Amino acid sequence: MKKPKRATAAKAKKGRKTSGSRTKTAPKRSAAARRAPAARAAKETGKETGKETAKETSKATIRGLRTKLSQALRRVAELEAAADTDFLLDIPNRRGFERELQRAIAYMKRYRASGALIVLDVDRLKPINDSFGHGAGDEVLKAIAATLTRQIRASDVVGRLGGDEFALLLWNLSETDAKAKAAIFEQAIDDLSFSFRGQHVTAGASAGVALLGAQSDAVRALEEADAAMYVRKAQRRHEPRIRLASS
């Protein structure tokens, strides 16, 4: 009767050993294994931060390039305007006036509009320059430009073709009106008086007219008005080349 007890005791001991081995604690993970998830998370966060930083840098670069482009375009516009403007008189130079004339003729061709071109030459600028210097001549030119500008409408254009020669682009004038306007310009300049070194000086001007319309050509119109101006200048040759009077 004792043997079965020993067998039962042996089985119980074996069961305890097996149960103990089954409940044994799993081995602990290494420090590197514990740090791996955090490292991966930090890496992903770093990637996202890097992407955001690169994105912001790209945006800043684009903004900077756009700013530089805007500045460059403004500078180009300023240079183009300067290239079309007479630096002394602040009116269109020959290049600028011819551009305005071409635009006007293109408009006239499209909309059947009309106008007039007047070329005006100062009669006695060279003697003034020779007698009183180019500073005096510049003062005369400035006064003439201001006088012509006051005599025209906002839609009209006055420019300096070079030296002592001016040109005016006038809209919607008949031949009679254009010639009358040219006479008004001549009289306004004839009436100007200057005082240099104690002497009173007048300059005078001669004007020639060319009509503008749908069939006009800019180059031909300038040539026509210039030729008419020389005819007019010949008519005025009886006047003294320069009139001086002691103050």
Side-chain angles (χ1 to χ4, degrees):
M1 294 301 295
K2 291 182 180 179
K3 286 183 180 181
K5 289 182 180 180
R6 285 197 299 269
T8 299
K11 286 181 180 180
K13 184 178 181 181
K14 185 176 180 180
R16 286 196 299 270
K17 289 182 179 180
T18 302
S19 176
S21 63
R22 287 177 181 173
T23 58
K24 186 181 292 184
T25 304
K28 294 182 179 180
R29 293 182 299 171
S30 65
R34 291 196 303 270
R35 289 195 301 268
R40 283 196 297 271
K43 187 176 181 181
E44 291 299 326
T45 302
K47 286 182 179 180
E48 292 300 323
T49 303
K51 288 180 181 178
E52 290 298 323
T53 301
K55 189 175 181 180
E56 291 300 321
T57 301
S58 298
K59 288 182 179 179
T61 301
I62 292 172
R63 286 194 298 268
L65 291 173
R66 285 176 176 170
T67 299
K68 290 181 179 179
L69 178 59
S70 298
Q71 293 172 346
L73 292 175
R74 282 196 299 270
R75 182 56 178 162
V76 169
E78 290 172 358
L79 291 174
E80 287 181 346
D84 288 345
T85 303
D86 185 276
F87 72 94
L88 176 65
L89 306 180
D90 196 29
I91 59 176
N93 57 18
R94 174 179 285 273
R95 180 175 183 267
F97 185 83
E98 288 181 349
R99 179 175 294 179
E100 292 295 327
L101 179 59
Q102 290 170 351
R103 289 174 178 170
I105 291 176
Y107 181 93
M108 292 174 187
K109 289 179 178 179
R110 182 171 182 179
Y111 296 103
R112 300 294 177 181
S114 63
L117 170 66
I118 297 177
V119 170
L120 186 146
D121 188 79
V122 183
D123 287 333
R124 295 181 288 273
L125 184 64
K126 187 178 185 304
I128 292 174
N129 282 332
D130 293 342
S131 298
F132 305 107
H134 287 278
D138 289 348
E139 184 176 333
V140 171
L141 290 173
K142 289 178 181 179
I144 291 174
T147 298
L148 294 175
T149 301
R150 287 194 299 268
Q151 295 283 337
I152 63 174
R153 298 161 295 185
S155 58
D156 299 332
V157 180
V158 57
R160 183 186 182 189
L161 299 182
D164 55 2
E165 195 169 56
F166 292 83
L168 299 105
L169 169 61
L170 309 175
W171 287 90
N172 302 319
L173 289 181
S174 66
E175 182 176 3
T176 300
D177 291 338
K179 289 182 178 180
K181 196 69 175 176
I184 292 173
F185 293 147
E186 286 182 349
Q187 188 62 51
I189 295 173
D190 288 345
D191 290 342
L192 292 176
S193 179
F194 306 90
S195 179
F196 302 121
R197 299 176 188 170
Q199 293 180 307
H200 292 300
V201 179
T202 59
S206 301
V209 177
L211 296 180
L212 300 174
Q215 305 303 320
S216 296
D217 174 79
V219 175
R220 193 182 310 118
L222 281 168
E223 292 174 350
E224 183 180 342
D226 199 54
M229 179 270 294
Y230 278 108
V231 171
R232 177 61 179 155
K233 186 177 285 287
Q235 295 172 353
R236 289 167 58 92
R237 280 178 183 166
H238 66 279
E239 297 181 3
R241 294 186 59 79
I242 185 167
R243 185 164 72 243
L244 304 176
S246 173
S247 62

